[in-house]
Amino acid sequence: MTEQKNELPKAEVKSVNKISTIWLIPLIALAIGAWMVVDQWLKQGPLITIEFATAQGISKNESLIKLRNITVGKVVDIKLNNNLDGVIISARLNRKVGELLTKDSNFWVVKPRVSLSSVSGLSTILSGSYIEFSPGIEESTRYHFKGLENPPPTPAGTPGLHITLDSSSDNAFDIGDPVLFRGSQAGRIEYVHLNTQEGKMYYNVFIEAPYDQLITTNTRFWEVTGIDVDLSAQGVKLNTGTIETLLGGGVAFDVPTYLTKGERITERAEFSIYPNKQKVNEQLFNVGQNYMLLFNQTIRGLKPGAPVEYKGLHIGEVVRTDIDYPEVTNILDKNTLLPIMIKIYPGRLGLKDNKIGLHKTQRNMKKRITEGLHGVISTNNLLTGSKFIELKYINAPLETPETFGDLLLIPTADDELEQLMTRVDNITKAIEKIPFNDIVKSTSKALTSITESMDQFNLTAERVETLLNDPKGQTIIAQINATLKGIESLTKTYSEGSQTNQQLNEVLQSLDKTINNLSPLIMTLNRQPNRLIFNNDNTTEIQPQAAEQ
């Protein structure tokens, strides 16, 4: 048994230096994980930040960044800014769109928007709001942006022209309002800015191609606001724009008829917005001279911009109708005259539109005033009550023109209509002074007297009628008729041409001849009553002698 135990083999112990293959599994997993991290890092785009006033509708790790309705990123963080007056949104973009992050790139929140000019973002009612990305065209790269509160009307890179418009009008425009050319939309307002120092509104406008080719040095812009009603002596004119301008207004442009097309504008330029198309079509003049007029009548209906006319020709306009002058101290004084400042353009008088024409106009106005030129407030439209200044000659010249402040004073007169109204007023006052009560009382008394007379006349008529119906009355009437017939016969006997009339004329002629023959004798007897007794030729009259003393 002992020998058998000694014969058992001995175990051979060897050292193992190889790594077990089971460790390949975690190594492979680690390699895959590292590869995925590197791949994700290589594929992911840049991290950007966007500033907004509010994060309404945006959620962390849910809200997307889209470009032309394709997802190109996601919001990864939202936090308040340092001033606590806005939010900063962090978003991770795809690597391919990283090259589009330029200085002029824009971001805005797409959500339901309803305005007078458009309706947009209705699809986000179900899907939720998202951030729209609009690439820029500049070369410099940027990763921090300030988000837009409203989507830009014109995408970057759209062919066209950017211009700036300024306006001092009471009508303001908004982003997205249309810009029209002869009724067709040629562009939109992209940005609105108020210059508080100048008191003007500035509008950045984009004119799309091919309308941008119509913008020249002589292009004019004017307001198109809803419905424009013009009441004038020619009737009623109604001008309307598109449905869009009826709701929110807009701007139109064209070249005035009195100007050539001009040179094309290829870079940003600035234009002014006129109140209406009528002002655009009026020829513009560079220089004008101010004059003053003083009125003692009402100036209601006369406003700045009202025309100044001479024989129907537009030669100027009203500049001021206020009373802010040192010479006006008490407006309630009945002797205070109301000042009106007007401007007359030499170019509208047929003179040169420069300083030479300005000086010549000043000399001519002084001469015309001495010849009787006056200013009159006339009614332009009876329906609206608008008025204008009319210059006309009146037979009341001045020897020396006067001034108001440092401006030449044009004398004034009442309008013919105003004179007529004054006369009507005077007639009305005279009528009011008539004692109608006394006249009514006198008329009443006269009517009473007439009534009594009519009663007496009716009573007499009844008596006459009774007399006519009485047989005795018939006899009296017959006798009266017979007497009237006798008188008529006698009248015919002595009428001209009858025999009795001829005999009577002969007797009268003979009597007249006899009287003429007796006239000398009667004259002699008047001088010498004793002529019939002492018939001698001595006609010497006896002169009485004084008694001797």
Side-chain angles (χ1 to χ4, degrees):
M1 295 291 295
T2 305
E3 293 178 358
Q4 291 180 353
K5 291 182 180 179
N6 292 335
E7 292 178 357
L8 289 175
K10 294 180 179 179
E12 185 178 356
V13 179
K14 295 181 180 180
S15 60
V16 178
N17 297 326
K18 295 182 179 179
I19 299 175
S20 176
T21 57
I22 197 170
W23 289 105
L24 294 177
I25 297 176
L27 290 176
I28 293 174
L30 180 61
I32 294 175
W35 174 81
M36 294 178 63
V37 170
V38 172
D39 184 69
Q40 181 67 22
W41 180 80
L42 293 175
K43 288 183 177 181
Q44 73 175 2
L47 180 68
I48 63 173
T49 55
I50 311 170
E51 293 185 12
F52 285 104
T54 177
Q56 181 181 5
I58 304 300
S59 300
K60 180 179 179 180
N61 297 326
E62 293 184 3
S63 297
L64 304 177
I65 308 295
K66 291 187 177 183
L67 171 61
R68 297 180 181 180
N69 208 29
I70 297 177
T71 301
V72 295
K74 180 184 291 187
V75 174
V76 296
D77 188 23
I78 300 176
K79 63 181 180 180
L80 293 172
N81 60 14
N82 295 331
N83 296 326
L84 305 179
D85 57 356
V87 297
I88 298 178
I89 296 177
S90 299
R92 178 72 68 178
L93 299 182
N94 296 341
R95 182 178 181 182
K96 292 183 179 180
V97 298
E99 299 175 356
L100 304 178
L101 294 174
T102 59
K103 187 177 180 180
D104 57 341
S105 298
N106 290 318
F107 294 85
W108 66 92
V109 178
V110 178
K111 55 186 178 181
R113 301 175 187 271
V114 179
S115 64
L116 293 175
S117 59
S118 63
V119 178
S120 62
L122 295 182
S123 60
T124 60
I125 296 177
L126 299 178
S127 61
S129 300
Y130 62 89
I131 298 176
E132 181 72 18
F133 168 44
S134 176
I137 58 176
E138 295 186 5
E139 295 181 356
S140 58
T141 304
R142 187 176 183 180
Y143 297 100
H144 181 78
F145 303 90
K146 187 174 182 179
L148 303 177
E149 296 298 326
N150 296 292
T154 305
T158 303
L161 176 67
H162 290 273
I163 60 175
T164 300
L165 304 179
D166 66 82
S167 174
S168 300
S169 173
D170 295 335
N171 299 321
F173 303 99
D174 199 359
I175 296 176
D177 285 346
V179 178
L180 307 176
F181 175 77
R182 298 180 182 179
S184 299
Q185 183 168 333
R188 286 188 178 276
I189 295 176
E190 294 186 323
Y191 180 71
V192 179
H193 171 67
L194 172 62
N195 189 320
T196 56
Q197 296 181 351
E198 299 179 1
K200 286 186 178 181
M201 296 294 296
Y202 285 87
Y203 304 95
N204 290 344
V205 175
F206 180 77
I207 306 297
E208 300 177 359
Y211 294 99
D212 60 329
Q213 302 178 15
L214 301 175
I215 307 300
T216 65
T217 54
N218 290 333
T219 300
R220 300 289 185 268
F221 294 80
W222 67 89
E223 297 179 8
V224 180
T225 54
I227 300 176
D228 182 17
V229 181
D230 181 17
L231 297 175
S232 62
Q234 289 75 26
V236 180
K237 296 181 180 179
L238 181 65
N239 300 320
T240 61
T242 62
I243 297 296
E244 203 168 2
T245 58
L246 285 175
L247 297 176
V251 180
F253 70 91
D254 205 342
V255 176
T257 55
Y258 63 88
L259 294 177
T260 58
K261 186 177 180 180
E263 298 180 2
R264 181 182 172 185
I265 300 296
T266 57
E267 297 180 355
R268 181 182 290 274
E270 185 174 335
F271 299 86
S272 296
I273 302 178
Y274 289 81
N276 50 56
K277 189 176 181 180
Q278 182 180 359
K279 293 293 183 181
V280 171
N281 289 327
E282 293 180 357
Q283 188 173 357
L284 300 180
F285 297 95
N286 297 321
V287 297
Q289 178 63 45
N290 292 335
Y291 299 91
M292 293 299 302
L293 300 94
L294 299 177
F295 291 96
N296 61 355
Q297 65 186 86
T298 178
I299 60 172
R300 178 181 297 173
L302 186 66
K303 299 180 180 179
V308 176
E309 297 183 357
Y310 174 74
K311 293 184 178 181
L313 298 177
H314 188 185
I315 62 173
E317 61 185 15
V318 176
V319 179
R320 293 178 57 181
T321 59
D322 59 287
I323 59 172
D324 188 15
Y325 298 93
E327 294 79 5
V328 181
T329 57
N330 188 0
I331 191 63
L332 296 180
D333 189 347
K334 64 179 181 180
N335 297 322
T336 300
L337 302 179
L338 301 179
I340 301 297
M341 181 186 293
I342 64 174
K343 177 178 288 187
I344 296 179
Y345 299 96
R348 293 187 179 275
L349 299 177
L351 303 176
K352 293 183 178 180
D353 185 29
N354 52 27
K355 293 183 178 180
I356 297 176
L358 201 63
H359 295 315
K360 190 172 183 180
T361 300
Q362 187 77 345
R363 294 196 306 269
N364 290 342
M365 287 298 295
K366 293 181 179 179
K367 181 180 179 182
R368 301 299 178 245
I369 290 173
T370 59
E371 295 176 351
L373 184 67
H374 284 64
V376 175
I377 296 180
S378 300
T379 301
N380 190 22
N381 192 302
L382 293 176
L383 295 178
T384 61
S386 62
K387 296 182 179 181
F388 68 99
I389 299 295
E390 182 181 7
L391 299 183
K392 59 172 61 176
Y393 285 95
I394 297 177
N395 190 18
L398 295 179
E399 295 183 359
T400 304
E402 300 178 356
T403 59
F404 183 87
D406 58 348
L407 297 179
L408 183 64
L409 183 63
I410 300 176
T412 61
D414 292 336
D415 184 26
E416 295 178 356
L417 180 60
E418 189 71 22
Q419 296 177 5
L420 177 61
M421 296 301 295
T422 302
R423 293 175 183 174
V424 171
D425 184 61
N426 293 334
I427 293 174
T428 303
K429 292 179 180 179
I431 292 175
E432 290 177 352
K433 295 180 180 179
I434 297 176
F436 286 104
N437 293 332
D438 297 339
I439 294 175
V440 170
K441 292 179 181 179
S442 299
T443 304
S444 178
K445 293 179 180 179
L447 291 175
T448 303
S449 178
I450 292 172
T451 302
E452 294 175 355
S453 300
M454 291 300 297
D455 293 339
Q456 294 292 333
F457 178 78
N458 292 332
L459 182 59
T460 303
E462 291 177 358
R463 293 176 179 176
V464 171
E465 185 178 1
T466 303
L467 179 61
L468 294 176
N469 293 331
D470 191 0
K472 294 181 180 180
Q474 296 292 336
T475 303
I476 295 172
I477 293 173
Q479 292 176 357
I480 293 173
N481 288 333
T483 302
L484 292 175
K485 288 180 180 180
I487 295 172
E488 183 179 2
S489 177
L490 179 61
T491 303
K492 290 181 178 179
T493 302
Y494 288 95
S495 62
E496 185 178 0
S498 63
Q499 185 176 1
T500 304
N501 180 269
Q502 292 177 359
Q503 293 175 355
L504 182 61
N505 289 333
E506 291 175 357
V507 173
L508 293 174
Q509 291 175 1
S510 178
L511 181 60
D512 182 62
K513 184 175 182 181
T514 301
I515 293 172
N516 291 331
N517 293 331
L518 292 175
S519 294
L521 178 60
I522 293 171
M523 294 176 64
T524 301
L525 292 175
N526 287 332
R527 293 195 303 272
Q528 300 177 359
N530 60 351
R531 179 64 179 233
L532 294 177
I533 300 174
F534 304 99
N535 187 8
N536 53 24
D537 296 332
N538 187 10
T539 60
T540 304
E541 295 182 358
I542 299 174
Q543 300 292 330
Q545 299 294 328
E548 295 181 1
Q549 300 296 329

